[in-house]
Amino acid sequence: MTALSNLTNLLGRLNAAVLTLGLWLGAGALGVMLVFILVQVLFRYVLGNALPWSEEGSRFLMLWMTGLMVPTAFRQGGFVAITMVLDIFPRVIGTMVALLFLGLSAVLLFVGMRIGWAEVTGLGGRFAMPAIAVPTSLDLSTWMKVPRGWMMASLATGVTMMFVVNIELILRGLLELLGRGEALKPITTLGGMGAE
């Protein structure tokens, strides 16, 4: 039982570190996306010459922001309707129902993870996005169209992170059900991390 508690706490620390990095990267993607949108507004409505890349670039960044930030909401119980339903039950029954939901979520996330990575590595992921290109030389003389798989990797990454968080939550629920909840470190919130 102690080994399971230690494993859960270790996984919790790993998730906290990865998700904090994800929050910072997601916030950065949101900031760049905002710049892209403002540039597009300037070019489209002030200069009358819309840019071909800013909307597609904004969608690309929005997907990465979502994939990097949603696992944190999942870990911290950000799904209010489910949390409210579990609060009406006594603690033991609520924990058992939560474990049932988490078990079903694990199956769905595993399937979603396989589909997501198949999209990244499959034929569809090799096609280029029409309007986004990145430099492939230091002197900026050569550019490459961004493969669609780079965009799909955002969703696959997010679902994979949610799956790992889900495993941690299942282990936490099992330990709480077995009366070992006091051995668990609390899940940290966003307060004080600076990414909020």
Side-chain angles (χ1 to χ4, degrees):
M1 199 62 73
T2 304
L4 188 58
S5 300
N6 290 339
L7 175 68
T8 304
N9 285 326
L10 178 65
L11 186 58
R13 284 193 300 275
L14 175 68
N15 279 339
V18 170
L19 295 178
T20 300
L21 177 63
L23 282 174
W24 281 99
L25 292 173
L30 177 63
V32 175
M33 181 177 71
L34 179 62
V35 169
F36 283 6
I37 291 169
L38 292 174
V39 166
Q40 180 69 326
V41 167
L42 172 71
F43 273 81
R44 176 175 282 169
Y45 299 111
V46 177
L47 302 176
N49 186 15
L51 298 171
W53 55 266
S54 66
E55 290 176 14
E56 194 169 4
S58 295
R59 278 192 299 273
F60 182 89
L61 292 167
M62 180 184 61
L63 287 171
W64 271 105
M65 177 199 64
T66 303
L68 293 169
M69 291 181 148
V70 166
T72 299
F74 182 52
R75 184 171 189 251
Q76 294 177 349
F79 302 104
V80 177
I82 294 173
T83 306
M84 287 176 57
V85 168
L86 297 177
D87 286 345
I88 65 173
F89 294 112
R91 189 187 64 79
V92 173
I93 295 174
T95 302
M96 288 174 23
V97 172
L99 281 171
L100 175 67
F101 285 162
L102 289 169
L104 291 172
S105 296
V107 172
L108 293 174
L109 288 169
F110 182 76
V111 170
M113 199 169 52
R114 290 185 56 186
I115 292 170
W117 289 111
E119 283 293 317
V120 171
T121 59
L123 179 63
R126 294 188 187 122
F127 288 104
M129 299 176 71
I132 302 178
V134 293
T136 57
S137 64
L138 292 177
D139 64 354
L140 304 180
S141 62
T142 311
W143 290 69
M144 172 189 81
K145 294 262 187 192
V146 172
R148 185 176 164 269
W150 291 12
M151 179 180 66
M152 297 308 295
S154 65
L155 301 174
T157 301
V159 172
T160 301
M161 290 167 60
M162 286 180 70
F163 181 76
V164 174
V165 166
N166 196 60
I167 297 302
E168 177 197 353
L169 295 177
I170 287 172
L171 292 173
R172 291 178 75 84
L174 286 172
L175 286 166
E176 287 177 18
L177 197 60
L178 296 171
R180 297 285 305 206
E182 74 282 348
L184 297 171
K185 303 257 191 268
I187 292 177
T188 57
T189 63
L190 293 179
M193 286 186 176
E196 63 274 357

